[in-house]
Amino acid sequence: MDGNGRWANARGLPRSMGHRRGVEAVREAVRAAGELGIQYLTLFAFSSENWRRPEAEVEELMSLLKHFIRRDLAELHKEGVRVRVIGERENLTPDIRALLEEAENLTRDNQQQTLVVAFNYGGRDEMARAMRRVAEKYAAGEVELDGLTPEYLDRHLDTAGIPDPDLIIRTSGELRLSNFLLWQAAYSEFVFLPCLWPDFDRKAFEEAIADYFSRDRRYGGLSREIAS
């Protein structure tokens, strides 16, 4: 979800206003995903690199997270949305950790839709943490060398039990992953949109999905036309 700051700068507004407008775009995206029957929606809310931003901006983002959970959690729960949070939590403040755990615990049994929030998340960090857990199990004799398969590593990632993304959408015209779901994106389709995140709406969402359905996903095999 890229472009909040640029959206605000283009309008002569403080960056915080871009982030606040971005939260409204989050609400619209979650609502649209539910109405469109999308079972899993992952939002890259805060990366492990975002701590490098100015302290005031980080505090604003933390405040928005708290506000979003306090305002929207009950509605998500009512709509049957399960919240999963991926990312490193050890260095988060106790109040933020408590909020994330509250969101997960309250919605744990919901089955209508899963909203995955990538918070303090980085793809390389996720893989390193997973490999440490696997190495500990190997050292303890809980798994043999032959058992160290991609499937085994997958079960130790933050996204264990969550399907790999079919489609990854990035806004603001940037053409890179920026350390997002590096392992899981092996066969994902990508749509890069020129619009800034605060301008992302249902129409843009539907157009990205239509683009996805126009593609022929081969997973290393033959196209449907050639195979038939």
Side-chain angles (χ1 to χ4, degrees):
M1 303 181 290
D2 197 19
N4 291 344
R6 277 170 281 176
W7 183 91
N9 291 338
R11 291 160 176 78
L13 300 171
R15 289 175 62 87
S16 60
M17 294 302 296
H19 293 310
R20 293 178 188 180
R21 180 61 188 86
V23 172
E24 295 302 319
V26 166
R27 293 190 176 102
E28 185 167 355
V30 173
R31 183 165 52 248
E35 293 170 354
L36 293 168
I38 296 172
Q39 293 184 323
Y40 289 86
L41 176 68
T42 301
L43 301 175
F44 201 177
F46 190 85
S47 80
S48 53
E49 288 80 24
N50 285 156
W51 297 108
R52 302 172 186 169
R53 296 189 176 189
E55 183 177 350
E57 183 170 350
V58 171
E59 290 178 355
E60 171 71 15
L61 291 169
M62 296 301 112
S63 176
L64 286 173
L65 171 71
K66 295 176 183 178
H67 183 70
F68 177 80
I69 292 179
R70 288 169 181 158
R71 171 178 167 177
D72 294 77
L73 183 58
E75 183 65 23
L76 292 172
H77 183 45
K78 179 181 176 182
E79 296 296 326
V81 178
R82 180 187 182 191
V83 178
R84 280 277 303 271
V85 181
I86 61 175
E88 175 60 63
R89 303 190 195 186
E90 292 302 316
N91 61 350
L92 297 177
T93 58
D95 59 329
I96 294 294
R97 283 204 308 269
L99 278 175
L100 299 179
E101 291 168 2
E102 177 188 354
E104 288 186 316
N105 292 335
L106 177 65
T107 63
R108 186 178 305 278
D109 297 325
N110 294 341
Q111 299 181 7
Q112 188 67 28
Q113 183 188 21
T114 298
L115 174 62
V116 184
V117 180
F119 188 83
N120 195 27
Y121 174 85
R124 288 182 173 180
D125 175 70
E126 176 192 27
M127 286 190 282
R129 288 186 286 106
M131 286 188 285
R132 283 197 294 272
R133 288 192 286 269
V134 169
E136 289 170 356
K137 291 187 175 182
Y138 176 73
E142 296 180 26
V143 60
E144 298 294 332
L145 188 61
D146 291 345
L148 301 180
T149 62
E151 293 76 18
Y152 187 78
L153 178 59
D154 191 77
R155 295 198 296 272
H156 292 79
L157 295 170
D158 294 352
T159 54
I162 299 172
D164 290 343
D166 294 304
L167 171 65
I168 294 178
I169 304 170
R170 178 163 185 163
T171 57
S172 85
E174 302 290 353
L175 305 178
R176 59 180 181 271
L177 269 177
S178 293
N179 205 16
F180 180 61
L181 297 179
L182 299 180
W183 174 276
Q184 299 86 342
Y187 282 102
S188 300
E189 296 292 325
F190 295 86
V191 169
F192 297 100
L193 300 177
C195 70
L196 302 175
W197 175 251
D199 293 324
F200 184 83
D201 56 15
R202 183 179 179 125
K203 182 175 182 292
F205 204 167
E206 290 178 342
E207 288 175 352
I209 293 170
D211 188 343
Y212 165 80
F213 277 114
S214 72
R215 303 182 186 183
D216 183 8
R217 303 183 74 193
R218 297 187 295 275
Y219 299 97
L222 299 176
S223 68
R224 290 190 295 264
E225 292 79 4
I226 294 175
S228 61

